[in-house]
Short mmCIF file of all heavy atoms in Angstrom, two decimals:
data_model
loop_
_atom_site.label_atom_id
_atom_site.label_comp_id
_atom_site.label_asym_id
_atom_site.label_seq_id
_atom_site.Cartn_x
_atom_site.Cartn_y
_atom_site.Cartn_z
N ALA A 1273 9.38 10.72 1.81
CA ALA A 1273 8.17 10.66 2.62
C ALA A 1273 8.54 10.31 4.07
O ALA A 1273 9.59 9.74 4.34
CB ALA A 1273 7.20 9.62 2.06
N LEU A 1274 7.65 10.67 4.96
CA LEU A 1274 7.84 10.42 6.38
C LEU A 1274 6.66 9.62 6.92
O LEU A 1274 5.61 9.56 6.30
CB LEU A 1274 7.96 11.74 7.14
CG LEU A 1274 9.13 12.63 6.74
CD1 LEU A 1274 9.05 13.97 7.46
CD2 LEU A 1274 10.46 11.94 7.03
N LEU A 1275 6.86 9.06 8.10
CA LEU A 1275 5.83 8.28 8.77
C LEU A 1275 5.28 9.03 9.98
O LEU A 1275 6.00 9.78 10.63
CB LEU A 1275 6.41 6.96 9.28
CG LEU A 1275 6.93 5.98 8.25
CD1 LEU A 1275 7.61 4.81 8.95
CD2 LEU A 1275 5.81 5.50 7.35
N LEU A 1276 4.02 8.77 10.29
CA LEU A 1276 3.44 9.14 11.56
C LEU A 1276 3.37 7.87 12.38
O LEU A 1276 2.84 6.86 11.92
CB LEU A 1276 2.03 9.72 11.39
CG LEU A 1276 1.90 11.01 10.60
CD1 LEU A 1276 0.44 11.43 10.53
CD2 LEU A 1276 2.74 12.12 11.19
N GLY A 1277 3.91 7.90 13.57
CA GLY A 1277 3.83 6.75 14.45
C GLY A 1277 2.46 6.71 15.12
O GLY A 1277 1.76 7.71 15.20
N VAL A 1278 2.12 5.52 15.61
CA VAL A 1278 0.82 5.34 16.25
C VAL A 1278 0.99 4.62 17.58
O VAL A 1278 1.81 3.71 17.69
CB VAL A 1278 -0.14 4.53 15.34
CG1 VAL A 1278 -1.49 4.32 16.00
CG2 VAL A 1278 -0.31 5.21 14.00
N ASP A 1279 0.22 5.02 18.55
CA ASP A 1279 0.11 4.41 19.88
C ASP A 1279 1.15 4.90 20.87
O ASP A 1279 0.84 5.21 21.99
CB ASP A 1279 0.12 2.88 19.83
CG ASP A 1279 -1.10 2.31 19.11
OD1 ASP A 1279 -2.13 2.99 19.06
OD2 ASP A 1279 -0.99 1.19 18.60
N SER A 1280 2.42 4.89 20.49
CA SER A 1280 3.48 5.36 21.38
C SER A 1280 4.52 6.08 20.53
O SER A 1280 4.40 6.12 19.31
CB SER A 1280 4.12 4.18 22.12
OG SER A 1280 4.71 3.28 21.19
N ASP A 1281 5.53 6.64 21.18
CA ASP A 1281 6.56 7.35 20.43
C ASP A 1281 7.37 6.33 19.65
O ASP A 1281 8.22 5.63 20.21
CB ASP A 1281 7.45 8.15 21.38
CG ASP A 1281 8.42 9.06 20.64
OD1 ASP A 1281 8.64 8.86 19.42
OD2 ASP A 1281 8.97 9.96 21.29
N LEU A 1282 7.11 6.24 18.37
CA LEU A 1282 7.74 5.22 17.53
C LEU A 1282 9.25 5.41 17.42
O LEU A 1282 9.98 4.45 17.24
CB LEU A 1282 7.09 5.22 16.14
CG LEU A 1282 7.36 4.02 15.25
CD1 LEU A 1282 7.06 2.71 15.95
CD2 LEU A 1282 6.56 4.13 13.96
N ARG A 1283 9.72 6.66 17.57
CA ARG A 1283 11.18 6.88 17.55
C ARG A 1283 11.85 6.14 18.71
O ARG A 1283 12.94 5.61 18.56
CB ARG A 1283 11.50 8.37 17.62
CG ARG A 1283 11.51 9.06 16.28
CD ARG A 1283 12.05 10.47 16.42
NE ARG A 1283 11.37 11.26 17.43
CZ ARG A 1283 10.25 11.94 17.22
NH1 ARG A 1283 9.69 11.94 16.02
NH2 ARG A 1283 9.70 12.62 18.17
N GLU A 1284 11.20 6.12 19.86
CA GLU A 1284 11.76 5.40 21.01
C GLU A 1284 11.64 3.90 20.82
O GLU A 1284 12.55 3.16 21.17
CB GLU A 1284 11.04 5.81 22.29
CG GLU A 1284 11.37 7.21 22.75
CD GLU A 1284 10.68 7.56 24.06
OE1 GLU A 1284 10.12 6.67 24.73
OE2 GLU A 1284 10.69 8.75 24.40
N LYS A 1285 10.53 3.47 20.26
CA LYS A 1285 10.29 2.04 20.07
C LYS A 1285 11.16 1.45 18.97
O LYS A 1285 11.63 0.33 19.08
CB LYS A 1285 8.81 1.81 19.74
CG LYS A 1285 8.43 0.37 19.54
CD LYS A 1285 6.95 0.24 19.25
CE LYS A 1285 6.57 -1.21 19.02
NZ LYS A 1285 5.16 -1.35 18.69
N GLU A 1286 11.37 2.21 17.91
CA GLU A 1286 12.11 1.73 16.74
C GLU A 1286 13.16 2.75 16.31
O GLU A 1286 13.00 3.44 15.30
CB GLU A 1286 11.15 1.48 15.58
CG GLU A 1286 10.25 0.30 15.77
CD GLU A 1286 10.93 -1.02 15.49
OE1 GLU A 1286 12.11 -1.06 15.09
OE2 GLU A 1286 10.26 -2.05 15.67
N PRO A 1287 14.24 2.89 17.05
CA PRO A 1287 15.25 3.90 16.71
C PRO A 1287 15.83 3.73 15.31
O PRO A 1287 16.30 4.71 14.72
CB PRO A 1287 16.32 3.73 17.78
CG PRO A 1287 15.91 2.62 18.66
CD PRO A 1287 14.57 2.14 18.26
N ASP A 1288 15.77 2.52 14.74
CA ASP A 1288 16.28 2.31 13.38
C ASP A 1288 15.48 3.09 12.35
O ASP A 1288 15.96 3.33 11.24
CB ASP A 1288 16.27 0.83 13.01
CG ASP A 1288 17.31 0.03 13.80
OD1 ASP A 1288 18.24 0.65 14.37
OD2 ASP A 1288 17.18 -1.20 13.83
N TYR A 1289 14.26 3.45 12.70
CA TYR A 1289 13.40 4.19 11.77
C TYR A 1289 13.23 5.65 12.18
O TYR A 1289 12.43 6.38 11.59
CB TYR A 1289 12.02 3.54 11.66
CG TYR A 1289 12.05 2.14 11.10
CD1 TYR A 1289 11.45 1.09 11.78
CD2 TYR A 1289 12.67 1.86 9.88
CE1 TYR A 1289 11.47 -0.20 11.26
CE2 TYR A 1289 12.69 0.57 9.36
CZ TYR A 1289 12.09 -0.45 10.06
OH TYR A 1289 12.11 -1.72 9.54
N ALA A 1290 13.95 6.11 13.19
CA ALA A 1290 13.77 7.46 13.74
C ALA A 1290 13.90 8.54 12.67
O ALA A 1290 13.21 9.55 12.72
CB ALA A 1290 14.76 7.71 14.87
N ASP A 1291 14.76 8.31 11.68
CA ASP A 1291 14.95 9.32 10.63
C ASP A 1291 13.75 9.46 9.72
O ASP A 1291 13.67 10.41 8.94
CB ASP A 1291 16.20 8.98 9.80
CG ASP A 1291 16.09 7.64 9.09
OD1 ASP A 1291 15.66 6.64 9.72
OD2 ASP A 1291 16.42 7.59 7.89
N LEU A 1292 12.79 8.54 9.81
CA LEU A 1292 11.60 8.58 8.96
C LEU A 1292 10.34 8.98 9.72
O LEU A 1292 9.28 9.12 9.13
CB LEU A 1292 11.35 7.21 8.32
CG LEU A 1292 12.43 6.69 7.39
CD1 LEU A 1292 12.08 5.28 6.92
CD2 LEU A 1292 12.62 7.60 6.20
N ILE A 1293 10.43 9.15 11.04
CA ILE A 1293 9.23 9.38 11.85
C ILE A 1293 9.11 10.86 12.18
O ILE A 1293 9.90 11.42 12.95
CB ILE A 1293 9.28 8.53 13.13
CG1 ILE A 1293 9.38 7.06 12.72
CG2 ILE A 1293 8.05 8.79 13.99
CD1 ILE A 1293 9.81 6.14 13.83
N PHE A 1294 8.10 11.49 11.59
CA PHE A 1294 7.87 12.91 11.77
C PHE A 1294 7.39 13.20 13.19
O PHE A 1294 7.91 14.06 13.89
CB PHE A 1294 6.86 13.41 10.73
CG PHE A 1294 6.57 14.87 10.80
CD1 PHE A 1294 7.57 15.80 10.65
CD2 PHE A 1294 5.27 15.31 11.02
CE1 PHE A 1294 7.30 17.16 10.70
CE2 PHE A 1294 4.99 16.66 11.07
CZ PHE A 1294 6.00 17.59 10.91
N VAL A 1295 6.36 12.49 13.61
CA VAL A 1295 5.77 12.64 14.94
C VAL A 1295 4.93 11.40 15.18
O VAL A 1295 4.58 10.69 14.24
CB VAL A 1295 4.90 13.94 15.03
CG1 VAL A 1295 3.63 13.83 14.22
CG2 VAL A 1295 4.61 14.34 16.47
N SER A 1296 4.62 11.12 16.44
CA SER A 1296 3.78 9.97 16.76
C SER A 1296 2.51 10.43 17.47
O SER A 1296 2.54 11.33 18.30
CB SER A 1296 4.52 8.98 17.66
OG SER A 1296 5.59 8.38 16.97
N ILE A 1297 1.42 9.77 17.13
CA ILE A 1297 0.13 9.97 17.78
C ILE A 1297 0.09 8.97 18.93
O ILE A 1297 0.17 7.77 18.69
CB ILE A 1297 -1.02 9.71 16.79
CG1 ILE A 1297 -0.86 10.59 15.55
CG2 ILE A 1297 -2.37 9.91 17.46
CD1 ILE A 1297 -1.62 10.08 14.33
N GLU A 1298 0.01 9.48 20.14
CA GLU A 1298 0.18 8.60 21.29
C GLU A 1298 -1.11 8.35 22.06
O GLU A 1298 -1.89 9.26 22.30
CB GLU A 1298 1.20 9.21 22.26
CG GLU A 1298 2.57 9.38 21.66
CD GLU A 1298 3.55 10.01 22.61
OE1 GLU A 1298 3.18 10.99 23.31
OE2 GLU A 1298 4.69 9.53 22.67
N LYS A 1299 -1.29 7.08 22.42
CA LYS A 1299 -2.31 6.70 23.39
C LYS A 1299 -1.58 6.63 24.71
O LYS A 1299 -0.54 5.99 24.82
CB LYS A 1299 -2.87 5.32 23.09
CG LYS A 1299 -3.67 5.20 21.84
CD LYS A 1299 -4.15 3.76 21.74
CE LYS A 1299 -4.67 3.43 20.38
NZ LYS A 1299 -4.98 1.99 20.26
N GLY A 1300 -2.10 7.26 25.71
CA GLY A 1300 -1.45 7.25 27.02
C GLY A 1300 -1.84 6.02 27.81
O GLY A 1300 -2.40 6.14 28.89
N LEU A 1301 -1.56 4.84 27.27
CA LEU A 1301 -1.96 3.62 27.97
C LEU A 1301 -1.28 3.50 29.32
O LEU A 1301 -1.87 2.95 30.26
CB LEU A 1301 -1.66 2.39 27.10
CG LEU A 1301 -2.45 2.31 25.80
CD1 LEU A 1301 -2.07 1.06 25.02
CD2 LEU A 1301 -3.94 2.35 26.05
N ASP A 1302 -0.08 4.04 29.44
CA ASP A 1302 0.58 4.02 30.74
C ASP A 1302 -0.22 4.81 31.77
O ASP A 1302 -0.36 4.39 32.92
CB ASP A 1302 2.01 4.53 30.64
CG ASP A 1302 2.11 5.94 30.04
OD1 ASP A 1302 1.18 6.37 29.33
OD2 ASP A 1302 3.13 6.60 30.29
N VAL A 1303 -0.80 5.92 31.34
CA VAL A 1303 -1.63 6.74 32.22
C VAL A 1303 -2.88 5.98 32.61
O VAL A 1303 -3.28 5.94 33.78
CB VAL A 1303 -1.99 8.09 31.55
CG1 VAL A 1303 -2.97 8.88 32.40
CG2 VAL A 1303 -0.74 8.89 31.25
N THR A 1304 -3.51 5.34 31.64
CA THR A 1304 -4.74 4.58 31.87
C THR A 1304 -4.50 3.46 32.87
O THR A 1304 -5.26 3.30 33.83
CB THR A 1304 -5.24 3.98 30.54
OG1 THR A 1304 -5.38 5.01 29.58
CG2 THR A 1304 -6.55 3.26 30.71
N VAL A 1305 -3.46 2.68 32.65
CA VAL A 1305 -3.17 1.56 33.54
C VAL A 1305 -2.82 2.06 34.94
O VAL A 1305 -3.31 1.52 35.94
CB VAL A 1305 -2.03 0.69 32.95
CG1 VAL A 1305 -1.56 -0.35 33.95
CG2 VAL A 1305 -2.48 0.03 31.66
N TYR A 1306 -2.01 3.11 35.01
CA TYR A 1306 -1.63 3.66 36.31
C TYR A 1306 -2.87 4.11 37.09
O TYR A 1306 -3.01 3.80 38.28
CB TYR A 1306 -0.66 4.84 36.14
CG TYR A 1306 -0.23 5.45 37.44
CD1 TYR A 1306 0.82 4.91 38.17
CD2 TYR A 1306 -0.90 6.55 37.96
CE1 TYR A 1306 1.21 5.47 39.38
CE2 TYR A 1306 -0.54 7.11 39.17
CZ TYR A 1306 0.52 6.57 39.88
OH TYR A 1306 0.88 7.12 41.09
N GLU A 1307 -3.77 4.85 36.41
CA GLU A 1307 -4.96 5.34 37.10
C GLU A 1307 -5.86 4.20 37.55
O GLU A 1307 -6.46 4.27 38.63
CB GLU A 1307 -5.71 6.33 36.22
CG GLU A 1307 -4.98 7.66 36.09
CD GLU A 1307 -5.73 8.71 35.29
OE1 GLU A 1307 -6.91 8.50 34.96
OE2 GLU A 1307 -5.11 9.75 35.01
N ALA A 1308 -5.97 3.14 36.74
CA ALA A 1308 -6.79 1.99 37.13
C ALA A 1308 -6.19 1.30 38.36
O ALA A 1308 -6.92 0.96 39.31
CB ALA A 1308 -6.90 1.01 35.97
N ILE A 1309 -4.87 1.10 38.36
CA ILE A 1309 -4.22 0.46 39.51
C ILE A 1309 -4.34 1.35 40.74
O ILE A 1309 -4.66 0.86 41.84
CB ILE A 1309 -2.74 0.15 39.19
CG1 ILE A 1309 -2.67 -0.94 38.11
CG2 ILE A 1309 -1.98 -0.25 40.44
CD1 ILE A 1309 -1.28 -1.15 37.54
N GLU A 1310 -4.10 2.64 40.57
CA GLU A 1310 -4.19 3.56 41.70
C GLU A 1310 -5.59 3.55 42.31
O GLU A 1310 -5.75 3.49 43.54
CB GLU A 1310 -3.83 4.98 41.25
CG GLU A 1310 -3.83 6.00 42.36
CD GLU A 1310 -3.42 7.38 41.86
OE1 GLU A 1310 -4.00 7.86 40.86
OE2 GLU A 1310 -2.51 7.96 42.47
N SER A 1311 -6.62 3.57 41.48
CA SER A 1311 -7.98 3.57 42.01
C SER A 1311 -8.31 2.24 42.69
O SER A 1311 -9.04 2.21 43.69
CB SER A 1311 -9.00 3.90 40.92
OG SER A 1311 -9.07 2.89 39.96
N ALA A 1312 -7.74 1.13 42.20
CA ALA A 1312 -7.96 -0.17 42.85
C ALA A 1312 -7.27 -0.20 44.22
O ALA A 1312 -7.86 -0.67 45.20
CB ALA A 1312 -7.44 -1.29 41.96
N VAL A 1313 -6.05 0.30 44.29
CA VAL A 1313 -5.31 0.33 45.55
C VAL A 1313 -6.05 1.19 46.58
O VAL A 1313 -6.12 0.85 47.75
CB VAL A 1313 -3.86 0.84 45.33
CG1 VAL A 1313 -3.17 1.17 46.65
CG2 VAL A 1313 -3.06 -0.19 44.54
N GLU A 1314 -6.62 2.30 46.11
CA GLU A 1314 -7.34 3.21 47.01
C GLU A 1314 -8.76 2.73 47.32
O GLU A 1314 -9.47 3.37 48.08
CB GLU A 1314 -7.38 4.61 46.40
CG GLU A 1314 -6.00 5.26 46.31
CD GLU A 1314 -6.02 6.57 45.55
OE1 GLU A 1314 -7.07 6.95 44.97
OE2 GLU A 1314 -4.96 7.22 45.51
N GLY A 1315 -9.17 1.62 46.69
CA GLY A 1315 -10.52 1.09 46.92
C GLY A 1315 -11.61 1.82 46.17
O GLY A 1315 -12.79 1.71 46.51
N ASN A 1316 -11.22 2.58 45.14
CA ASN A 1316 -12.20 3.37 44.38
C ASN A 1316 -12.49 2.83 42.99
O ASN A 1316 -13.20 3.45 42.23
CB ASN A 1316 -11.69 4.81 44.22
CG ASN A 1316 -11.46 5.49 45.55
OD1 ASN A 1316 -12.20 5.27 46.50
ND2 ASN A 1316 -10.42 6.29 45.63
N PHE A 1317 -11.92 1.67 42.67
CA PHE A 1317 -12.09 1.15 41.31
C PHE A 1317 -13.52 0.72 41.10
O PHE A 1317 -14.09 -0.04 41.88
CB PHE A 1317 -11.15 -0.03 41.06
CG PHE A 1317 -11.21 -0.53 39.65
CD1 PHE A 1317 -10.55 0.14 38.63
CD2 PHE A 1317 -11.92 -1.68 39.33
CE1 PHE A 1317 -10.60 -0.31 37.32
CE2 PHE A 1317 -11.97 -2.14 38.03
CZ PHE A 1317 -11.31 -1.46 37.02
N ALA A 1318 -14.11 1.23 40.03
CA ALA A 1318 -15.49 0.88 39.69
C ALA A 1318 -15.50 0.07 38.41
O ALA A 1318 -15.27 0.61 37.32
CB ALA A 1318 -16.32 2.15 39.52
N GLY A 1319 -15.70 -1.22 38.55
CA GLY A 1319 -15.77 -2.08 37.36
C GLY A 1319 -16.91 -1.67 36.45
O GLY A 1319 -17.91 -1.10 36.90
N GLY A 1320 -16.76 -1.92 35.17
CA GLY A 1320 -17.81 -1.60 34.21
C GLY A 1320 -17.82 -0.17 33.74
O GLY A 1320 -18.64 0.22 32.93
N THR A 1321 -16.92 0.66 34.26
CA THR A 1321 -16.85 2.05 33.82
C THR A 1321 -15.94 2.14 32.60
O THR A 1321 -15.10 1.28 32.36
CB THR A 1321 -16.33 2.98 34.93
OG1 THR A 1321 -15.01 2.56 35.29
CG2 THR A 1321 -17.24 2.94 36.14
N THR A 1322 -16.12 3.18 31.86
CA THR A 1322 -15.31 3.41 30.66
C THR A 1322 -14.33 4.54 30.92
O THR A 1322 -14.70 5.58 31.45
CB THR A 1322 -16.22 3.79 29.47
OG1 THR A 1322 -17.14 2.73 29.25
CG2 THR A 1322 -15.41 4.01 28.21
N TYR A 1323 -13.10 4.30 30.54
CA TYR A 1323 -12.07 5.34 30.63
C TYR A 1323 -11.90 5.94 29.24
O TYR A 1323 -11.74 5.21 28.26
CB TYR A 1323 -10.74 4.74 31.09
CG TYR A 1323 -9.61 5.73 31.08
CD1 TYR A 1323 -9.37 6.54 32.17
CD2 TYR A 1323 -8.79 5.86 29.96
CE1 TYR A 1323 -8.32 7.47 32.16
CE2 TYR A 1323 -7.76 6.79 29.94
CZ TYR A 1323 -7.53 7.58 31.04
OH TYR A 1323 -6.51 8.49 31.01
N THR A 1324 -11.92 7.24 29.16
CA THR A 1324 -11.69 7.91 27.89
C THR A 1324 -10.44 8.77 28.02
O THR A 1324 -10.38 9.66 28.87
CB THR A 1324 -12.89 8.81 27.50
OG1 THR A 1324 -14.06 8.00 27.42
CG2 THR A 1324 -12.65 9.50 26.17
N GLY A 1325 -9.44 8.45 27.20
CA GLY A 1325 -8.23 9.24 27.20
C GLY A 1325 -8.48 10.58 26.53
O GLY A 1325 -9.08 10.64 25.45
N THR A 1326 -8.05 11.64 27.17
CA THR A 1326 -8.21 12.98 26.62
C THR A 1326 -6.87 13.71 26.70
O THR A 1326 -5.92 13.24 27.31
CB THR A 1326 -9.25 13.79 27.43
OG1 THR A 1326 -8.75 13.99 28.76
CG2 THR A 1326 -10.61 13.09 27.47
N LEU A 1327 -6.81 14.87 26.09
CA LEU A 1327 -5.61 15.70 26.23
C LEU A 1327 -5.43 16.11 27.68
O LEU A 1327 -4.31 16.15 28.19
CB LEU A 1327 -5.70 16.93 25.34
CG LEU A 1327 -5.64 16.68 23.83
CD1 LEU A 1327 -5.93 17.97 23.06
CD2 LEU A 1327 -4.29 16.11 23.43
N GLU A 1328 -6.54 16.42 28.35
CA GLU A 1328 -6.46 16.89 29.73
C GLU A 1328 -5.90 15.82 30.67
O GLU A 1328 -5.08 16.12 31.53
CB GLU A 1328 -7.83 17.34 30.22
CG GLU A 1328 -7.81 17.93 31.60
CD GLU A 1328 -9.14 18.55 32.00
OE1 GLU A 1328 -10.17 18.24 31.36
OE2 GLU A 1328 -9.13 19.33 32.96
N ASN A 1329 -6.33 14.56 30.52
CA ASN A 1329 -5.84 13.52 31.42
C ASN A 1329 -4.62 12.79 30.85
O ASN A 1329 -4.18 11.79 31.40
CB ASN A 1329 -6.95 12.54 31.80
CG ASN A 1329 -7.45 11.70 30.64
OD1 ASN A 1329 -6.80 11.53 29.61
ND2 ASN A 1329 -8.65 11.15 30.81
N GLU A 1330 -4.09 13.32 29.76
CA GLU A 1330 -2.90 12.79 29.09
C GLU A 1330 -3.09 11.36 28.58
O GLU A 1330 -2.15 10.60 28.42
CB GLU A 1330 -1.66 12.89 29.99
CG GLU A 1330 -1.33 14.33 30.33
CD GLU A 1330 -0.09 14.47 31.20
OE1 GLU A 1330 0.55 13.47 31.54
OE2 GLU A 1330 0.23 15.63 31.53
N GLY A 1331 -4.36 11.03 28.30
CA GLY A 1331 -4.67 9.73 27.72
C GLY A 1331 -4.45 9.69 26.22
O GLY A 1331 -4.48 8.62 25.62
N VAL A 1332 -4.23 10.84 25.61
CA VAL A 1332 -3.86 10.96 24.19
C VAL A 1332 -2.92 12.15 24.05
O VAL A 1332 -2.86 13.01 24.92
CB VAL A 1332 -5.09 11.16 23.25
CG1 VAL A 1332 -5.99 9.94 23.24
CG2 VAL A 1332 -5.86 12.41 23.62
N GLY A 1333 -2.20 12.19 22.96
CA GLY A 1333 -1.31 13.30 22.71
C GLY A 1333 -0.43 13.02 21.51
O GLY A 1333 -0.67 12.06 20.77
#
Side-chain angles (χ1 to χ4, degrees):
L1274 299 174
L1275 297 173
L1276 296 180
V1278 179
D1279 295 335
S1280 62
D1281 188 344
L1282 195 52
R1283 274 189 306 275
E1284 289 182 12
K1285 181 179 179 182
E1286 290 281 357
D1288 291 343
Y1289 297 127
D1291 61 315
L1292 297 176
I1293 301 164
F1294 181 60
V1295 70
S1296 293
I1297 305 159
E1298 298 178 317
K1299 293 181 194 173
L1301 296 180
D1302 56 337
V1303 174
T1304 306
V1305 171
Y1306 180 85
E1307 288 184 9
I1309 292 170
E1310 183 178 52
S1311 67
V1313 168
E1314 293 173 354
N1316 301 324
F1317 184 78
T1321 61
T1322 301
Y1323 174 87
T1324 302
T1326 65
L1327 292 172
E1328 184 172 17
N1329 67 20
E1330 298 181 1
V1332 295

